[in-house]
Amino acid sequence: MPSLKISYSSHAVGAAMLAQPCEVAVEWSQDGATWTEDTDSRFIRIKRRGDEVDRTGLVRFELPGYSWQLRKIVLYPGVAALVDGKRPFLSATPGAILQTALAEAQARGAVPGLDWDFTSTHDSAGEPWDKVLTIYYQPGADALTLLLNLSEQGVCDWRMLGRVLQLYNADTELDRDLATGPGPVELRFGRDVVEAPDDGTLEDAASSVLVVGDNGFVHTFENPTAVQPWGPWEQYAGHGGVSDMGTAMLLAQAALERAAAERVQRTRGITVYGARWLPWRDYRPGDRVRAPGEGGALESLRVRQVALSRNADGVVGGSLILNDRFLERDIRLARRAAGIVGGSTADGGSGARPAPDSPRPRTPAAPSGLIVDPLAYLDAAGVAQGQITATWGAVIVDVSGVALNVGGYQLFMRVNVTGEPWFLVATTEADDNSVTYSPLLVGTEYAFKVRAVNLGVVGAFSAQVAVTIPDDTDPPPVPTAPQLTTRLGVVHVAWNGLGVGAAPMPPDFLRVRVWMQNPLAPGWADIGYLDAAGSILVPGLPYGADRQFRFSSVDRSGNESAASTSTTIATVPLVQGDAANESITTGALVANAVTTDKLAAGAVEAGNIKANAVTADKLAAVLTLSTRLVAGDPSAARVELNGSGLAAYNVGGVQTASISAVTGAVSIVGQFASGVTGARVVVNPAGATSPEIRFIPGSGVNASRIYSDGSLYTGEATLIMESGTNQPNTAMCRLIHAAGFWRVAIHDPVTQNQRGGYVIADETQAHVGWLHPTLGTQNFLFSQSGTLHRGTWQIGGVSAGLIMLDVTITGNGTYHVVNYGFTLLTTPSCVWSAQRGSGASGSSAPTDMYVYTRSQSAITFRSPSAPASTVTFSVWAWRT
């Protein structure tokens, strides 16, 4: 909320207006003739302070922004029943919640001057609301509390335009990017910025977090890359309602990322005299601009606050509070955590008064207001997984509208495909109408529904809600600028392994791409990559010509950061002041100027030695090589004997083999084979993309291989084993060993797509199943949360262990027999539930239905009340 401070003499012109409650607007002008009142610039005079003995009559006024009046709007109970004394808003948009409070207040005559330009369906920019909430507020809460609660959960941004409250989808209208494009807003030292203090703190730093949830859930998560000047620091996070590993990991990663490094607030003192860019005219709070960041380099920063003042001499000055991209991400992470652990859930029990005792349990009404919020998080291996937070309205009545205390809720889920089975994935206590669940597959669409339970009697299901689990969309941090050096005509491009501001790379970091361009002929080209701190060499560049280099970081989901700051360098000649051809002759040499210690290897060849010049009396008893003995071209393909041992080089002058004279170690570059034909082992075969060992059975085509891949997980060597193909060339087996991940699966050797049985295991879960790109999926997922099956059960045949079927009963018969169509080995056990009623009457299922499974071939239903309509039941039966 903006604020304004004024010092004004009671003897000055217009002082009588300030002596009473009034409104004050701050306006700006570029030419002194046309004045503009911008956003968040209207204030109300409600507080003053003066001294009666002060002859100057100076009075000081403190004026809050016009939005302060939202504190004077109180939320009333409304007409709907309260839940635990709170007013429910079920599947409501931020606009609907605020508009309800404001409209009801003005109908009572409160705050008549306040207006708004959003609706329950669209924000102030005319865009549909992109989020809904199921949330409860205590009557008596003021409208400003409601507004701040919604903005802190990340569902909206807001501002005032005069007396009009404007509400927007979060990070849209109030998140303009003015730092990019053809004419970016650049605040430069000396012109726009005159001071640049930074306040940094390590108070909130931590390298591990202890997460404590419900049902005895306790787990510690660590971030070894966090800053640790005095060793590891710990942090505690208690989250009620969290009991599954995926949700805990998501919350812990958010906490650890916020605590990984020093937090810095950047304040930039600005001048309005001679500045190119001015507040409000060119930028406003919420905008992203280019301003001096770490080390004074221009970077994209978000304007969080503008402070302006005018001194006694009339000189206007001010300052900006700027957030870098890491602080902005902190805010988003905090909002995400708030939404998971209770921002949209009710506190306490159902709030209904106990109903009178009944001779039998009553059926709860269907829950309303179900919303499902999907998120992506990274598991321990850095792989994106899915998580959902489901919230619904509390059930406080039965199907007849009579007050009821339910015993809890059941959340069901399925893959959102017709015919896929529903699975019970979570149950809650009576006072808990929110639940989290993970892991789920990213990119997969799931459907959810919930029902209440009362003393063993289940109620009707809510309306279904379908969501698609998003993939990870957060790019890694922007890398620090390249560190360049040049030596011997080669440029070394180095990276320190960190992001801007000493930010560590996240668990799903894959690599840093290295880009280069000629500044005289712009056009960036990808010339290589680094998967950790280190450097690459760039040879073959022209001497004295500038080349620019920059980085970008990529994660395993394919998200790529913005480009780093670029740096420029030019290579220098190998020898300074190269001599021209034939400029040095014998006449220019002093006697004895050329001696043996000054001759380069290979400089004296046979053609330059006079016949009989080398005789026995000129050779020592032992011939010692001070340089080398070469067979072949001294600068191309050759075998060479020198002081280090024996070496071989190819036509390009690259060493391909060596035998060390000191250790006897043998190194060979290129292929090494145990034979030329037939069954053999080939190490580093020609044409292979990575070093590998290949086992050839005889034909030389259908081979198996073992190799290591360092690109899958940062800093790890992953061992991969592949079989040969089958005779039709339709299947092969691939086995992957990583530090925290193991998978064996059948693949198509042509497309490399997985198609067949597989087993996957990591530190948090295991998958066993079968996958085909067109025929479907059958799998089990085992984790701390339980067991999840995806696919279709075989329900027929004498050896079947599980039966799933729908049973339809029509007419007034008391007994109904349904045959399986086969005879099981044993009599099964059974559970069932009424899914729906149909027929002209549309009546619901009877409540006195009995089920008998006394036979190995049929199931019997009996209802003393003899239902008159058609009723469908879902039956699960299993044999033991």
Side-chain angles (χ1 to χ4, degrees), residues 314-327:
V315 177
V316 177
S319 64
L320 309 177
I321 292 181
L322 305 173
N323 277 11
D324 60 22
R325 58 179 59 86
F326 305 113
L327 290 179

Side-chain angles (χ1 to χ4, degrees), residues 638-719:
R638 64 192 184 276
V639 176
E640 178 176 308
L641 181 64
N642 54 43
S644 299
L646 181 64
Y649 297 82
N650 62 17
V651 293
V654 177
Q655 186 174 353
T656 58
S658 69
I659 301 177
S660 172
V662 178
T663 65
V666 178
S667 299
I668 299 176
V669 178
Q671 176 175 301
F672 176 83
S674 63
V676 178
T677 60
R680 60 195 183 276
V681 177
V682 181
V683 179
N684 198 26
T689 57
S690 301
E692 67 179 53
I693 302 175
R694 190 171 296 178
F695 301 86
I696 302 175
S699 65
V701 176
N702 194 4
S704 57
R705 62 180 186 143
I706 302 174
Y707 63 99
S708 180
D709 191 340
S711 67
L712 297 181
Y713 302 102
T714 303
E716 296 181 18
T718 301
L719 182 65

Side-chain angles (χ1 to χ4, degrees), residues 94-464:
I97 296 172
L98 264 299
Q99 190 177 40
T100 297
L102 299 179
E104 289 179 354
Q106 289 197 341
R108 299 189 298 267
V111 194
L114 180 69
D115 199 0
W116 60 91
D117 59 3
F118 56 89
T119 69
S120 61
T121 59
H122 292 75
D123 71 0
S124 294
E127 295 296 324
W129 289 109
D130 60 7
K131 290 183 176 66
V132 295
L133 300 92
T134 289
I135 198 166
Y136 297 76
Y137 287 114
Q138 186 78 40
D142 61 74
L144 183 61
T145 297
L146 271 61
L147 178 60
L148 295 179
N149 175 265
L150 294 172
S151 64
E152 287 170 358
Q153 290 191 61
V155 298
C156 65
D157 291 334
W158 65 279
R159 69 183 181 189
M160 295 294 300
L161 181 59
R163 298 173 175 173
V164 179
L165 174 63
Q166 296 184 327
L167 208 62
Y168 299 95
N169 285 316
D171 297 325
T172 56
E173 180 69 19
L174 302 191
D175 188 16
R176 299 187 304 176
D177 187 1
L178 306 182
T180 59
V185 174
E186 294 184 336
L187 306 181
R188 295 184 175 273
F189 279 136
R191 185 190 67 188
D192 309 276
V193 176
V194 292
E195 294 178 315
D198 290 342
D199 293 328
T201 178
L202 289 169
E203 293 174 297
D204 298 324
S207 57
S208 68
V209 58
L210 172 66
V211 177
V212 179
D214 287 347
N215 302 323
F217 182 91
V218 178
H219 197 84
T220 299
F221 299 87
E222 297 184 351
N223 179 11
T225 63
V227 58
Q228 301 181 45
W230 292 279
W233 283 357
E234 299 175 335
Q235 189 179 83
Y236 168 79
H239 294 302
V242 174
S243 59
D244 68 282
M245 179 63 73
T247 302
M249 184 174 292
L250 192 153
L251 294 171
Q253 286 175 346
L256 286 173
E257 188 166 343
R258 294 195 299 270
E262 183 183 40
R263 301 291 89 188
V264 180
Q265 175 180 289
R266 308 188 188 283
T267 303
R268 299 294 180 258
I270 59 173
T271 178
V272 298
Y273 304 99
R276 179 180 179 184
W277 308 102
L278 298 176
W280 282 298
R281 186 192 71 177
D282 301 312
Y283 60 88
R284 64 192 182 208
D287 291 342
R288 298 177 187 273
V289 300
R290 288 178 60 79
E294 183 181 15
L298 291 180
E299 58 182 272
S300 177
L301 302 174
R302 193 175 189 191
V303 181
R304 275 286 159 184
Q305 178 177 305
V306 176
L308 293 179
S309 63
R310 190 175 68 174
N311 64 18
D313 297 325
V315 177
V316 177
S319 64
L320 309 177
I321 292 181
L322 305 173
N323 277 11
D324 60 22
R325 58 179 59 86
F326 305 113
L327 290 179
E328 287 299 310
R329 177 161 171 78
D330 285 352
I331 294 172
R332 291 198 303 272
L333 291 171
R335 286 176 164 182
R336 183 168 70 175
I340 292 174
V341 299
S344 299
T345 60
D347 294 327
S350 65
R353 290 176 293 181
D357 288 338
S358 177
R360 58 183 174 81
R362 290 175 289 124
T363 304
S368 59
L370 174 64
I371 59 174
V372 180
D373 183 27
L375 293 171
Y377 70 96
L378 303 177
D379 64 15
V383 177
Q385 302 281 9
Q387 181 263 3
I388 62 97
T389 300
T391 307
W392 56 89
V395 175
I396 58 175
V397 296
D398 65 7
V399 291
S400 301
V402 180
L404 177 72
N405 283 332
V406 300
Y409 301 91
Q410 296 176 339
L411 179 69
F412 284 76
M413 177 196 78
R414 73 171 182 182
V415 176
N416 194 30
V417 176
T418 301
E420 289 290 314
W422 289 92
F423 296 98
L424 175 65
V425 294
T427 59
T428 72
E429 300 298 329
D431 57 355
D432 192 355
N433 58 338
S434 180
V435 70
T436 60
Y437 182 75
S438 66
L440 298 168
L441 299 176
V442 297
T444 302
E445 188 176 88
Y446 295 91
F448 296 85
K449 61 183 179 181
V450 65
R451 67 185 179 188
V453 181
N454 175 41
L455 298 177
V457 176
V458 296
F461 279 108
S462 69
Q464 298 180 24

Side-chain angles (χ1 to χ4, degrees), residues 545-837:
D546 283 343
R547 289 295 182 267
Q548 287 180 300
F549 295 87
R550 71 184 188 189
F551 296 139
S552 64
S553 56
V554 182
D555 64 20
R556 289 194 176 96
S557 297
N559 302 308
E560 187 166 2
S561 73
S564 70
T565 301
S566 64
T567 51
T568 303
I569 198 171
T571 57
V572 296
L574 184 63
V575 178
Q576 297 293 336
D578 290 342
N581 291 337
E582 299 182 355
S583 61
I584 300 177
T585 62
T586 55
L589 294 176
V590 178
N592 298 320
V594 180
T595 57
T596 55
D597 62 324
K598 296 177 181 178
L599 289 175
V604 180
E605 299 177 344
N608 298 320
I609 300 176
K610 183 179 179 181
N612 299 320
V614 181
T615 58
D617 62 326
K618 295 185 173 67
L619 294 175
V622 177
L623 179 61
T624 301
L625 296 175
S626 59
T627 54
R628 60 179 182 167
L629 182 63
V630 177
D633 187 340
S635 61
R638 64 192 184 276
V639 176
E640 178 176 308
L641 181 64
N642 54 43
S644 299
L646 181 64
Y649 297 82
N650 62 17
V651 293
V654 177
Q655 186 174 353
T656 58
S658 69
I659 301 177
S660 172
V662 178
T663 65
V666 178
S667 299
I668 299 176
V669 178
Q671 176 175 301
F672 176 83
S674 63
V676 178
T677 60
R680 60 195 183 276
V681 177
V682 181
V683 179
N684 198 26
T689 57
S690 301
E692 67 179 53
I693 302 175
R694 190 171 296 178
F695 301 86
I696 302 175
S699 65
V701 176
N702 194 4
S704 57
R705 62 180 186 143
I706 302 174
Y707 63 99
S708 180
D709 191 340
S711 67
L712 297 181
Y713 302 102
T714 303
E716 296 181 18
T718 301
L719 182 65
I720 300 177
M721 303 174 63
E722 291 183 351
S723 72
T725 64
N726 59 359
Q727 287 296 325
N729 196 36
T730 60
M732 61 173 289
C733 180
R734 178 178 291 129
L735 175 62
I736 298 177
H737 293 269
F741 178 79
W742 185 89
R743 181 177 72 187
V744 59
I746 305 300
H747 290 257
D748 185 328
V750 178
T751 65
Q752 295 300 308
N753 291 330
Q754 188 175 325
R755 48 167 297 166
Y758 68 93
V759 179
I760 301 175
D762 60 33
E763 295 174 278
T764 62
Q765 60 190 18
H767 292 259
V768 178
W770 178 86
L771 174 67
H772 193 278
T774 59
L775 300 182
T777 300
Q778 309 282 337
N779 65 32
F780 277 95
L781 184 148
F782 304 93
S783 69
Q784 182 180 357
S785 301
T787 301
L788 174 66
H789 173 262
R790 178 182 180 185
T792 303
W793 293 90
Q794 291 187 8
I795 62 173
V798 65
S799 61
L802 179 66
I803 305 168
M804 293 182 291
L805 55 125
D806 283 347
V807 177
T808 301
I809 298 176
T810 306
N812 296 320
T814 301
Y815 287 92
H816 302 270
V817 179
V818 177
N819 292 308
Y820 302 145
F822 50 87
T823 301
L824 293 172
L825 296 178
T826 60
T827 300
S829 302
C830 175
V831 295
W832 60 278
S833 62
Q835 293 294 319
R836 56 192 177 275

